[in-house]
Amino acid sequence: MSNRDRCHQATKQTKKMNAMGRRTEQGKNHPTAEDSKTNDFNAKKEPPLERVRLEAGEVLSQVGNSSSTLYFLLKGSLQVIHISNQNNGQVISEGSLFFIPVGEKFHAHAMQPATLLSCPVERFQLPTKLKQYCPASTATASPLFILPIRHLIEEEACSMLNALPAIRPDAYSTYLSHKISILLILIEHLYAPEEIASLFAPLLGRNLDFREKVLKNYSNTMRVKDLSTILHIPPSTLNRKFKETFQMSAKEWFTNKRREDILHDILQTELSIVEIADKYELTPNYLMKLCKDDFGMTLTELRHSTSI
């Protein structure tokens, strides 16, 4: 039986055990491992280890996660719809791993039925020596770097899924922490340092604390002066840090992020063009022009592109 077949079998087993639950001597249900997963990580406000299954045409989205996420595409293929105005149309093939940093808006649709494993990754979990191999500019380089999944890593990922139904609720967090550490150790030893540094480049650049604070707080406001107040940083210092960290002014960065937010609302909501325009204090005519100029399609064409 192949690794992917074992992963598929684990999916069926997990669903069966989730439906049945676990019985005490009195016949009452204990929370399942899946229940514990949800409870533990809701409390921590972190994304859990998660199996993601998509039918052809369905969209995988990461928007505003509180942690960066490492994805393992175990089956199927994805086509990138949007990621920071870059990589549009790029295909992610079966047997690939890729990394989406905290605060990044990422959308991709399944070209065929797809199965992924996603797990949270924090900066402190990465080897500090990777910084010396980091690309010269992490802000202007593509945030999506793809590596092939090595056989041992695929086996480890599948074993994580196989074991989930058997993990006690009180041990889930510990189990997950150890397993993610093992995956990162395997990645460290099975790929060249330059490859790993490119994969995790968004977590290895300059002013990382500032970068994370910006990405976690900018959605609360779309004005530079308001972010300055939230972060307790004078406007002049804020703009200097933006240029050091993102290689652009704060105003330029906010303009780009607003485009991403608009595209998200087009792709992932049913808001009308008037409602989206009102939300971002634009006229409908200007919004339609923005779609054509920045995304190369009308609003209707963009929405149709996600249902192919």
Side-chain angles (χ1 to χ4, degrees), residues 78-92 105-109 142-144 260 263 267 291 294-297 302 305:
L78 303 174
Q79 185 171 35
V80 177
I81 301 170
H82 175 77
I83 179 168
S84 294
N85 296 319
Q86 300 181 65
N87 301 85
N88 299 339
Q90 180 178 1
V91 174
I92 307 172
K105 288 183 172 63
F106 170 77
H107 306 286
H109 73 76
S142 164
L144 185 64
E260 292 180 21
L263 185 61
L267 297 178
C291 287
D294 290 1
F295 309 128
M297 300 183 195
L302 283 166
S305 72

Side-chain angles (χ1 to χ4, degrees), residues 82-300:
H82 175 77
I83 179 168
S84 294
N85 296 319
Q86 300 181 65
N87 301 85
N88 299 339
Q90 180 178 1
V91 174
I92 307 172
S93 302
E94 181 174 313
S96 297
L97 64 87
F98 58 98
F99 175 74
I100 306 297
V102 60
E104 190 67 66
K105 288 183 172 63
F106 170 77
H107 306 286
H109 73 76
M111 302 174 69
Q112 53 189 274
T115 301
L116 302 94
L117 172 68
S118 70
C119 65
V121 175
E122 298 290 351
R123 177 164 36 114
F124 70 84
Q125 295 173 297
L126 302 178
T128 55
K129 67 180 182 181
L130 287 179
K131 288 186 178 181
Q132 63 183 299
Y133 300 102
C134 194
S137 173
T138 59
T140 56
S142 164
L144 185 64
F145 184 83
I146 300 171
L147 288 173
I149 301 176
R150 303 291 191 218
H151 178 69
L152 287 176
I153 292 176
E154 183 177 354
E155 284 193 334
E156 185 64 31
C158 287
S159 77
M160 293 171 75
L161 298 180
N162 289 337
L164 281 180
I167 303 301
R168 296 195 318 271
D170 61 330
Y172 185 86
S173 293
T174 302
Y175 169 79
L176 177 59
S177 177
H178 285 313
K179 281 295 188 179
I180 291 176
S181 295
I182 291 171
L183 278 173
L184 292 174
I185 289 171
L186 287 174
I187 288 173
E188 182 181 357
H189 287 83
L190 293 175
Y191 299 94
E194 293 82 2
E195 292 177 314
I196 306 170
S198 293
L199 180 68
F200 294 116
L203 298 186
L204 300 174
R206 297 182 61 187
N207 297 326
L208 291 176
D209 289 335
F210 173 75
R211 183 183 190 279
E212 289 183 1
K213 287 178 181 178
V214 168
L215 291 173
K216 289 181 179 180
N217 287 283
Y218 89 90
S219 59
N220 297 324
T221 175
M222 288 306 293
R223 292 179 174 83
V224 176
K225 66 177 183 179
D226 293 335
L227 182 64
S228 174
T229 301
I230 292 172
L231 299 182
H232 306 290
I233 298 175
S236 59
T237 304
L238 183 75
N239 204 50
R240 175 176 57 79
K241 282 184 170 290
F242 261 92
K243 289 181 178 178
E244 291 176 352
T245 308
F246 300 104
Q247 281 73 58
M248 65 182 72
S249 69
K251 183 178 180 180
E252 291 173 313
W253 190 89
F254 265 85
T255 298
N256 289 339
K257 283 298 178 184
R258 185 172 73 160
R259 291 192 187 103
E260 292 180 21
D261 291 339
I262 289 171
L263 185 61
H264 169 261
D265 285 346
I266 292 171
L267 297 178
Q268 297 296 303
T269 75
E270 295 182 357
L271 294 174
S272 69
I273 189 168
V274 173
E275 290 170 322
I276 295 174
D278 286 344
K279 180 177 178 179
Y280 295 98
E281 301 177 356
L282 304 172
T283 66
N285 285 340
Y286 184 82
L287 177 58
M288 289 188 287
K289 182 178 184 300
L290 184 148
C291 287
K292 288 292 290 184
D293 291 347
D294 290 1
F295 309 128
M297 300 183 195
T298 65
L299 185 147
T300 302

